[in-house]
Amino acid sequence: MHTLKQNLKLGSLFLATIFVGCSPKFTEETKEGFNLVKNENGATLGYSQDSGVSILTVDQMAFKDLNKNGTLDPYEDWRLTADERAKDLASKMSVEQIAGLMLYSAHQSIPGGGNSFFGAVTYNGKPYKESGAKPSDLSDAQKKFLLEDNLRHVLITSVESPGVSAQWNNNAQAMVEGIGLGIPINTSSDPRHGSDSYAEFNAGAGGKISMWPSTLGLAASFDPSLMQQFGKIASQEYRALGIATALSPQIDLATEPRWSRFDGTMGEDPKLAADMARAYVEGFQASENGDWGMQSVNAMVKHWPGGGPEEGGRDGHFGYGSYAVYPGKNLEDHLKPFTEGAFALKGPTKMATAVMPYYTISYEQDTKNGENVGNAYNKYLITDLLRGKYGYDGVVCTDWGITGDAPNVYEFRGKPWGVENLSVAERHYKIIEAGCDQFGGNNDMGPVIEAYQMGVEEHGEEYMRKRFETSAVRLLKNIFRTGLFENPYLDVAQTEKIVGNSEFMEAGYNAQLKSIVMLKNNEKTLPVENKRKVYVPQRYVAPTVNWFGVATEERTEHPFNMEVVAKYFEVVDYPDEADFALVGIENPNGGVGYDVADTENGGNGYVPISLQYGTYTATNAREQSIAAGSPLEKGVDNRSYNGKTTTSINISDMSLVTDTKRKMGDKPVVVIVRVAKPLVFAEIESSADAILVHMGVQDQALMDIVSGKVEPSALLPFQMPKDMLTVEQQFEDVPRDMDPYTDTNGNSYDFSFGLNWSGVIDDERIQAYK
């Protein structure tokens, strides 16, 4: 009778099935490391054989007893809505458990190696290579933040292989399933579907993951259905890797052509970007039936309220780029990819489930409190605008590392713009009060607990408990929606079949072909017949140092995989032997807009970012910057670079084009430019008989276009400026406000321009967006 009473409390038929002769309507099978339970008309459950979790039978169906209390709690009942389950679970969580849920880990590679920036990674106290650990084992740091800090959101970067990623997922999920309330891990990733230019595509072969052009390249197709196809395929590969949240798409409106993150956007046009954003999120979040399911991936759109209008093009990862400015008073356009795109889905998932504000201070956009602080710290932008005016109740997660201290404006360290003088705990509290739910790049729950106590002192325990539960519900709903509470485990063999399969690889390759823009084609230089003789000059690559302090040595190399080129054309060593030349270059690398050496010479440190190869002097730049001021650079109240000079790091690319044309004489020169941002074509266009631009594709795709196997069809999703004067005169926040470059054929390299074999493309896409 004790068991009967227990089940009557549940309102179930736990024993009644015995009396009426019924049997459970589910089956169970054993997999490697976990059990799989399939309900006849319900959820499929996965649980670790070692976690201590057992199965409850209620109404002839199976449920996981995650908190091991022998009772079916509402949060364990997959028949209830995500909202009902999240509210029940949040009410059961301790403050420490909620604080851990509000953390999002720093970058994790599998296996971990560590570098000078992220620090050493150890396994049982030893570096990975000395530890004897398997690549799928958890590192010491991962065990700590999962077990001690209650962290449940993990950002992974590189993985050794899909199989290793799947096994790491199973190991990590089994660890957390056996403790506390059994809350699973929500693993995420930055975009990971880029193309390896040197890789060959074989329609019958697979790869580690399908390869696609960047989102800017997909935007060049002007085809939202192609973007949605990418999302649908990428979400299947993500889930097979154990990833249930995409830290994407980047839907900042690319209105500032000098910005270093321009290539991660969907272009500068509000309507095109909104349509592409909607398609991307729809593709990732909708499962096979259009609603949430085991194929769904939460989309975290970034960066609210738009990271595009950085003053002078300087980036907000650094203090020298801390300000986004609005000289055209045009915040509205920057909101459209969110409000008319990612928040306006046509399917039942309705809107992107997470939002990330950018590092920047959206200068003088707080019309309520007048605060100039980083976007995640700004209560007006998060609570009043995003949540209030636009009714957004999903997760808001800060960008990575914004609560850390910054030593100066030029090092890649903490990014607490506008709140540099607050303590780390005070920054956490201000972010919570602004309306955010989660702290990107924070593994330690200590400052979150301190922030909670600050709130208790100011508002009382009841207020802060309710505030924490509000964030917990938002965070938990994204875990429930994607089915992780039911089955977070992966079949490793199945993962290896899904990720990078030949069908997905072919779809990605076809998308690459649709992303290549032809800008020039004198006297139908292209296509070139197969097996014509081609001269490919080597390209000089200057030494550089990236954001993380990793140096790349100078080198001279062919810009293409010559084995691929040789399958299309006969490669020769000298220009006089060739029928045509193929020159591969990149857009000008005009710097980041800040130079410490300038401060050593008495300057303010600010220098121009150039979009031309040759030396540029900013005689037409603003004499007084729109925004300035930081306790990290005392006495600098003007960030102007007027009158200063800079030269692009890759000025040799310009010489490569002009020298090749001189050597080739009357024979055609085909120039292929990989573009991460707009460039001034005036320096090289007249030396090129044909020009192709791309945003990251395999060399084979380029050769398919050059040889005529495929006709170019893409269009420019942004303007190419006439000169640096129009770049200086344009407003950082206004789209399509530059004078575009006009080439020697009279074609204007404007938004939506592109050529095919017949000439200038003029189709329904032009009518829809131009």
Side-chain angles (χ1 to χ4, degrees):
M1 285 300 291
H2 170 75
T3 306
L4 180 59
K5 287 179 180 178
Q6 183 182 50
N7 285 286
L8 287 173
K9 288 181 181 179
L10 291 173
S12 73
L13 301 177
F14 199 70
L15 282 186
T17 54
I18 298 175
F19 302 131
V20 299
C22 296
S23 59
K25 295 182 178 180
F26 59 84
T27 58
E28 184 165 359
E29 60 180 301
T30 300
K31 295 284 188 178
E32 186 175 346
F34 65 97
N35 287 2
L36 205 60
V37 181
K38 297 181 180 179
N39 283 288
E40 188 176 303
N41 293 304
T44 295
L45 314 178
Y47 68 101
S48 169
Q49 296 154 4
D50 301 319
S51 67
V53 167
S54 59
I55 293 297
L56 298 170
T57 304
V58 179
D59 296 339
Q60 301 173 258
M61 292 176 284
F63 302 84
K64 292 164 67 173
D65 186 12
L66 290 167
N67 60 5
K68 308 179 187 66
N69 67 353
T71 299
L72 180 63
D73 293 284
Y75 87 91
E76 299 165 333
D77 190 343
W78 45 259
R79 297 169 299 184
L80 301 179
T81 67
D83 187 64
E84 290 171 320
R85 300 175 72 185
K87 287 177 179 176
D88 175 65
L89 179 52
S91 70
K92 292 176 166 61
M93 295 175 71
S94 67
V95 170
E96 289 75 16
Q97 287 170 326
I98 296 177
L101 195 66
M102 296 170 78
L103 302 176
Y104 223 128
S105 82
H107 301 68
Q108 305 292 311
S109 58
I110 302 172
N115 58 39
S116 59
F117 180 79
F118 289 111
V121 177
T122 61
Y123 293 77
N124 297 319
K126 298 179 179 179
Y128 170 69
K129 291 182 179 179
E130 301 172 15
S131 67
K134 297 177 183 177
S136 58
D137 286 351
L138 275 66
S139 70
D140 295 337
Q142 289 164 359
K143 291 176 183 176
K144 179 188 180 300
F145 64 58
L146 291 173
L147 296 175
E148 298 178 24
D149 293 288
N150 299 308
L151 184 147
R152 291 297 178 270
H153 293 79
V154 179
L155 169 59
I156 64 167
T157 54
S158 60
V159 295
E160 185 173 289
S161 69
V164 167
S165 181
Q167 189 58 57
W168 180 91
N169 170 82
N170 289 354
N171 293 342
Q173 297 289 8
M175 176 180 287
V176 298
E177 186 177 68
I179 59 176
L181 296 162
I183 299 172
I185 296 166
N186 183 357
T187 303
S188 71
S189 172
D190 282 311
R192 57 193 314 117
H193 280 86
S195 297
D196 176 358
S197 61
Y198 280 71
E200 287 192 67
F201 167 70
N202 181 330
K208 284 190 174 182
I209 197 165
S210 61
M211 291 188 280
W212 298 72
S214 66
T215 50
L216 187 61
L218 285 166
S221 73
F222 278 59
D223 181 2
S225 68
L226 186 64
M227 186 72 83
Q228 187 162 341
Q229 181 194 30
F230 162 69
K232 184 176 180 180
I233 288 174
S235 68
Q236 293 177 65
E237 293 184 303
Y238 271 28
R239 290 306 300 265
L241 292 168
I243 299 166
T245 293
L247 298 189
S248 58
Q250 184 188 336
I251 59 176
D252 306 297
L253 202 59
T255 52
E256 170 45 61
R258 294 164 289 189
W259 186 31
S260 62
R261 299 192 69 180
F262 191 102
D263 63 334
T265 73
M266 297 177 179
E268 67 173 312
D269 181 73
K271 185 177 189 306
L272 178 63
D275 288 350
M276 289 290 176
R278 185 185 315 109
Y280 186 110
V281 176
E282 199 89 70
F284 265 86
Q285 292 191 170
S287 202
E288 292 181 359
N289 64 354
D291 209 335
W292 293 102
M294 296 303 292
Q295 181 186 307
S296 297
V297 173
N298 294 293
M300 184 181 290
V301 294
K302 54 190 187 185
H303 304 89
W304 179 264
E310 320 296 51
E311 184 162 20
R314 301 181 294 270
D315 182 65
H317 279 83
F318 302 87
Y320 58 69
S322 58
Y323 289 105
V325 295
Y326 300 82
K329 297 180 171 53
N330 189 35
L331 175 65
E332 181 182 355
D333 271 348
H334 292 266
L335 302 182
K336 288 179 180 177
F338 297 90
T339 61
E340 298 178 11
F343 298 169
L345 307 185
K346 297 177 181 178
T349 68
K350 296 182 180 179
M351 63 173 60
T353 60
V355 171
M356 182 189 297
Y358 203 39
Y359 296 115
T360 45
I361 297 167
S362 293
Y363 189 63
E364 295 188 347
Q365 297 309 298
D366 182 347
T367 59
K368 183 176 181 180
N369 306 305
E371 264 200 312
N372 283 313
V373 292
N375 294 328
Y377 292 99
N378 193 294
K379 189 170 185 177
Y380 168 75
L381 293 176
I382 305 302
T383 294
D384 297 320
L385 193 64
L386 176 60
R387 297 208 187 279
K389 182 175 181 179
Y390 294 107
Y392 186 77
D393 194 39
V395 168
V396 178
C397 176
T398 75
D399 212 329
W400 260 236
I402 73 166
T403 57
D405 291 325
N408 49 53
V409 297
Y410 55 84
E411 286 187 55
F412 189 72
R413 294 292 168 181
K415 304 157 187 67
W417 313 141
V419 293
E420 291 90 344
N421 294 325
L422 296 182
S423 70
V424 171
E426 287 169 338
R427 292 170 193 156
H428 281 75
Y429 182 47
K430 187 170 180 62
I431 288 168
I432 292 169
E433 288 287 86
C436 297
D437 305 296
Q438 200 165 28
F439 304 96
N442 290 23
N443 296 355
D444 179 9
M445 75 172 179
V448 187
I449 298 297
E450 287 186 67
Y452 180 86
Q453 295 303 328
M454 291 176 185
V456 171
E457 291 176 14
E458 182 175 356
H459 300 290
E461 184 84 40
E462 184 180 353
Y463 170 91
M464 280 310 289
R465 174 71 203 191
K466 183 178 180 181
R467 174 65 189 86
F468 262 44
E469 284 193 28
T470 297
S471 285
V473 169
R474 292 175 183 142
L475 291 159
L476 290 168
K477 282 164 70 171
N478 288 357
I479 307 177
F480 280 115
R481 287 188 184 110
T482 48
L484 292 170
F485 274 89
E486 277 58 72
N487 181 23
Y489 297 98
L490 300 171
D491 183 324
V492 175
Q494 191 66 15
T495 288
E496 292 171 337
K497 289 180 182 178
I498 292 172
V499 180
N501 69 56
S502 59
E503 178 186 346
F504 293 172
M505 295 294 286
E506 184 170 9
Y509 186 77
N510 289 335
Q512 293 178 45
L513 294 169
K514 294 176 181 177
S515 73
I516 300 166
V517 185
M518 184 164 70
L519 295 180
K520 187 177 182 181
N521 194 20
N522 271 359
E523 299 178 358
K524 297 195 174 180
T525 297
L526 298 179
V528 179
E529 294 178 5
N530 277 356
K531 296 307 175 185
R532 297 295 294 273
K533 295 179 180 179
V534 63
Y535 168 63
V536 182
Q538 291 195 326
R539 175 176 181 258
Y540 171 72
V541 181
T544 57
V545 178
N546 69 13
W547 287 0
F548 303 113
V550 179
T552 301
E553 295 182 357
E554 66 175 347
R555 63 190 186 278
T556 301
E557 63 185 14
H558 279 115
F560 310 108
N561 182 337
M562 298 308 292
E563 291 182 5
V564 169
V565 175
K567 292 184 177 181
Y568 292 79
F569 309 106
E570 182 183 342
V571 178
V572 297
D573 294 327
Y574 303 101
D576 58 356
E577 300 174 338
D579 297 312
F580 76 107
L582 196 59
V583 183
I585 60 174
E586 296 183 359
N587 63 269
N589 181 349
V592 298
Y594 192 87
D595 186 0
V596 177
D598 183 68
T599 64
E600 296 170 351
N601 294 323
N604 62 0
Y606 294 88
V607 294
I609 297 175
S610 179
L611 298 183
Q612 67 183 41
Y613 294 102
T615 299
Y616 167 64
T617 301
T619 55
N620 295 288
R622 295 184 184 110
E623 293 186 5
Q624 173 67 48
S625 64
I626 293 174
S630 167
L632 302 176
E633 50 173 9
K634 294 177 181 179
V636 177
D637 57 2
N638 184 4
R639 293 184 168 189
S640 173
Y641 49 83
N642 183 275
K644 294 182 182 178
T645 298
T646 190
T647 302
S648 287
I649 294 170
N650 59 330
I651 187 174
S652 58
D653 278 355
M654 177 176 68
S655 301
L656 189 65
V657 175
T658 56
D659 289 351
T660 302
K661 182 59 180 175
R662 177 179 51 80
K663 292 174 182 177
M664 292 295 292
D666 293 333
K667 292 184 287 188
V669 174
V670 178
V671 176
I672 299 178
V673 192
R674 175 165 184 162
V675 294
K677 60 172 73 171
L679 69 148
V680 176
F681 266 99
E683 297 167 305
I684 61 171
E685 179 267 321
S686 62
S687 297
D689 296 281
I691 299 173
L692 298 174
V693 300
H694 69 97
M695 284 67 88
V697 299
Q698 291 168 257
D699 292 339
Q700 187 174 348
L702 296 170
M703 297 308 113
D704 276 350
I705 297 286
V706 172
S707 67
K709 184 177 180 180
V710 176
E711 184 173 16
S713 62
L715 308 168
L716 283 178
F718 52 86
Q719 295 180 306
M720 294 291 187
K722 175 184 177 181
D723 49 34
M724 282 303 295
L725 173 61
T726 192
V727 173
E728 295 291 2
Q729 291 178 338
Q730 60 89 34
F731 286 163
E732 285 92 337
D733 59 326
V734 176
R736 298 166 57 177
D737 64 338
M738 293 188 293
D739 293 328
Y741 177 74
T742 300
D743 69 11
T744 51
N745 295 327
N747 288 321
S748 178
Y749 294 178
D750 204 350
F751 172 81
S752 77
F753 172 74
L755 300 172
N756 57 22
W757 301 145
S758 302
V760 178
I761 299 172
D762 185 12
D763 56 22
E764 65 278 0
R765 297 173 299 166
I766 306 295
Q767 308 308 317
Y769 292 105
K770 187 168 184 178

